[in-house]
């Protein structure tokens, strides 16, 4: 799935202008077959307005205090699994390169479980997913 991102900014006289209009290619990694990450906008600091619409520098997957991340994460179906013989060292290096900081927050003994100092919003556009919290508490999202 490609997602279209349109960014606006402001000229010095205060009028709005289109800065970019592009399809955002997903980021995929071999460690998570079927998954796709679309990083749409981010900042490591509180955004100051007006802005010219240039993307702020935000290198890590999760934001620091005062920052934010806006993206779409597609989860692959249960039937899709990693291939036998996968080089997990190379797969982890790929995650670190393409999604810096993501693996640092993951719990190795519980795939998908992570803890961050962020406020996360989950919404389901299609399909269904089980959201699981600590100690096995779950909710079915559709």
């Amino acid at each position: 799935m490609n997602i279209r991102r349109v960014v606006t900014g402001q000229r010095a006289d205060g009028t709005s202008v289109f800065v970019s209009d592009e399809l955002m290619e997903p980021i995929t990694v071999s460690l998570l077959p079927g998954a796709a990450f679309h990083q749409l906008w981010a900042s490591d600091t509180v955004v100051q307005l007006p802005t010219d619409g240039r993307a702020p520098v935000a290198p890590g997957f999760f934001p620091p205090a005062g920052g934010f991340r806006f993206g779409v994460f597609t989860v692959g179906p249960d039937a899709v699994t990693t291939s036998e013989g996968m080089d997990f060292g190379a797969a982890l290096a790929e995650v670190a390169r393409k999604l810096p900081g993501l693996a640092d927050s993951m719990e190795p003994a519980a795939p998908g479980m992570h803890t961050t100092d962020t406020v996360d919003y989950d919404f389901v556009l299609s399909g269904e997913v089980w959201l699981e919290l600590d100690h096995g508490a779950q909710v079915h999202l559709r």
Side-chain angles (χ1 to χ4, degrees), residues 23 34 43 51 71 102-103 106 131 141:
L23 288 178
S43 178
T51 177
L102 175 64
M106 294 295 163
L131 177 62
L141 303 175

Side-chain angles (χ1 to χ4, degrees), residues 67-110:
F68 72 92
R69 300 293 183 267
F70 179 68
V72 175
F73 171 52
T74 302
V75 179
D78 279 345
V80 178
T81 60
T82 57
S83 61
E84 287 187 34
M86 173 183 282
D87 180 342
F88 281 99
L92 287 173
E94 177 191 29
V95 171
R97 185 178 69 257
K98 291 183 173 180
L99 302 164
L102 175 64
D104 298 340
S105 299
M106 294 295 163
E107 298 175 17

